[in-house]
Amino acid sequence: MGLKIRGNNLVDINKVGLEIEKYLRQVPSIEPSSVFADRLIGKPYLQINIDRNAIARYGVNIEDVDDVIEIAIGGRKITTTVEGRERYPVRVRYERELRDSVQALNNILVPAQNGAHIPMKLVAKIQYVRGPMVIKSEDTNNM
């Protein structure tokens, strides 16, 4: 048997799920070890908030900041290699040492229109935040 809890706030949904789990474990006809609420919050997410006022001061285009973030962290597909009948994407991204910590990401340089290079920490706030373990959605037409 399953129980769905709906809401707009992950913190509240998680809290209600854990409370229901606690109460169901106390029901005599239910095996306590079989009751488990999904843990919704806890996975670390890298959050980058671009400061629009700062990029305007430095003469940096927001698209340029997005491009640097995409290439540095996730990589960008630049071509496809064909090996027989198989095709493989070729991606370019920064070396692991240049992207493996918030401090390293803060030091990535963003090109300005005047040719200067601005450290990311001056135009964006980078931090790890706790977020959902998994994202599930259902009946999203009514939101």
Side-chain angles (χ1 to χ4, degrees):
M1 177 165 67
L3 178 66
K4 290 184 185 180
I5 303 167
R6 292 181 174 206
N8 294 324
N9 182 324
L10 285 178
V11 174
D12 292 341
I13 294 170
N14 194 55
K15 183 176 158 185
V16 169
L18 294 174
E19 286 180 31
I20 292 172
E21 175 187 73
K22 182 177 80 174
Y23 292 127
L24 285 176
R25 286 182 179 202
Q26 296 172 4
V27 175
S29 60
I30 296 178
E31 174 62 38
S33 63
S34 68
V35 178
F36 180 77
D38 285 340
R39 279 20 181 198
L40 300 177
I41 300 173
K43 186 174 184 177
Y45 282 84
L46 183 65
Q47 184 176 49
I48 303 173
N49 292 320
I50 299 171
D51 183 341
R52 290 178 181 266
N53 292 327
I55 64 172
R57 269 194 314 275
Y58 289 108
V60 176
N61 185 323
I62 196 161
E63 188 175 342
D64 294 336
V65 178
D66 283 341
D67 286 345
V68 168
I69 291 169
E70 177 188 354
I71 293 167
I73 300 170
R76 178 180 281 169
K77 178 182 168 186
I78 58 167
T79 190
T80 301
T81 180
V82 179
E83 298 177 20
R85 300 179 105 186
E86 299 174 357
R87 289 170 170 54
Y88 299 99
V90 177
R91 299 183 73 80
V92 175
R93 69 177 173 182
Y94 282 28
E95 291 183 39
R96 184 169 305 278
E97 300 81 35
L98 299 175
R99 59 181 168 83
D100 66 353
S101 70
V102 171
Q103 182 180 358
L105 293 172
N106 277 324
N107 294 325
I108 291 175
L109 300 176
V110 179
Q113 293 174 352
N114 66 1
H117 289 85
I118 313 299
M120 184 72 74
K121 64 185 168 193
L122 297 179
V123 295
K125 181 179 179 185
I126 303 173
Q127 63 184 353
Y128 280 102
V129 296
R130 287 181 49 190
M133 297 293 277
V134 78
I135 297 174
K136 300 177 188 176
S137 62
E138 184 177 302
D139 195 23
T140 57
N141 297 356
N142 296 333
M143 295 284 179

